[in-house]
Amino acid sequence: MSDARFEDGVEQPLRLIARDDRDLQIISALLQDAVLTGADMRFDRAQRRFSLLLNRFRWEDRDRAAASGRRFERVRCVLDFADVGGVQHQGLTRDSDTVLSLLALAYEPESAPEETAEASEGEPAGPGRVLLTFAGDGALSLTVECLEVELRDVTRPYLAPSGKAPQHSG
């Protein structure tokens, strides 16, 4: 069965690039409750790239799906970080059987925010750390030369196994 939403060009796979903290916050919101295993993480030291293969909930489609009575969807995506000098982890394993749930991404500049000059339009923010927080107190810290992150969908959407949107207690 084909998906007309992709055939008629109305909806395209998501592709976002973050070069500053505001852009990273948007990507973080779209990745809330994305899941992966430890085997879905890769650090290529030679290329200075860190990548994650995630199954993300399609937050951008939640309201339309609810209004039309469609079941909620997920999609496989790649989150790719450029100019990564090092990766540190806490409470995470490379185990392919353990499912990790991503909660948030954050950027911490190397210098205090008041000392950091605003990046020019389109220019990446300077050196710092990108923090990835996972459910269960797991965390990754990426040391980056500049903030350059790409999120791109790599499959068509598929029905979320539960058919429901993730729920959060407040």
Side-chain angles (χ1 to χ4, degrees):
M1 181 157 119
S2 63
D3 189 336
R5 290 174 296 143
F6 282 79
E7 290 170 5
D8 63 12
V10 171
E11 189 170 348
Q12 295 295 314
L14 186 69
R15 181 174 181 260
L16 299 173
I17 295 175
R19 291 194 170 124
D20 62 32
D21 188 46
R22 287 177 300 217
D23 293 345
L24 190 64
Q25 289 173 19
I26 292 167
I27 289 176
S28 180
L30 288 168
L31 288 177
Q32 185 175 353
D33 296 307
V35 293
L36 70 155
T37 68
D40 295 327
M41 295 183 260
R42 181 168 183 241
F43 181 36
D44 183 335
R45 288 184 198 283
Q47 296 293 317
R48 298 177 49 88
R49 298 193 89 69
F50 183 78
S51 302
L52 302 169
L53 179 62
L54 303 137
N55 294 308
R56 74 173 184 84
F57 181 78
R58 293 190 66 231
W59 290 106
E60 71 277 17
D61 187 55
R62 180 185 60 181
D63 293 340
R64 281 185 302 200
S68 68
R70 272 192 296 112
R71 288 185 56 196
F72 296 111
E73 298 173 329
R74 285 190 171 266
V75 65
R76 296 279 278 178
C77 64
V78 171
L79 182 64
D80 192 40
F81 299 86
D83 293 319
V84 177
V87 178
Q88 295 180 321
H89 64 90
Q90 173 187 330
L92 300 176
T93 68
R94 298 275 311 190
D95 181 2
S96 62
D97 294 328
T98 302
V99 176
L100 305 169
S101 181
L102 182 63
L103 299 177
L105 303 169
Y107 171 68
E108 293 180 350
E110 194 171 87
S111 56
E114 59 274 0
E115 297 172 15
T116 304
E118 276 293 314
S120 301
E121 185 68 32
E123 291 296 316
R129 294 185 324 149
V130 177
L131 305 173
L132 294 86
T133 306
F134 295 88
D137 295 327
L140 284 171
S141 175
L142 311 178
T143 304
V144 296
E145 286 295 316
C146 64
L147 184 60
E148 190 160 351
V149 181
E150 180 183 18
L151 171 65
R152 68 184 177 280
D153 290 347
V154 294
T155 66
R156 289 180 178 264
Y158 60 90
L159 295 179
S162 71
K164 300 177 184 175
Q167 300 293 314
H168 301 101
S169 56

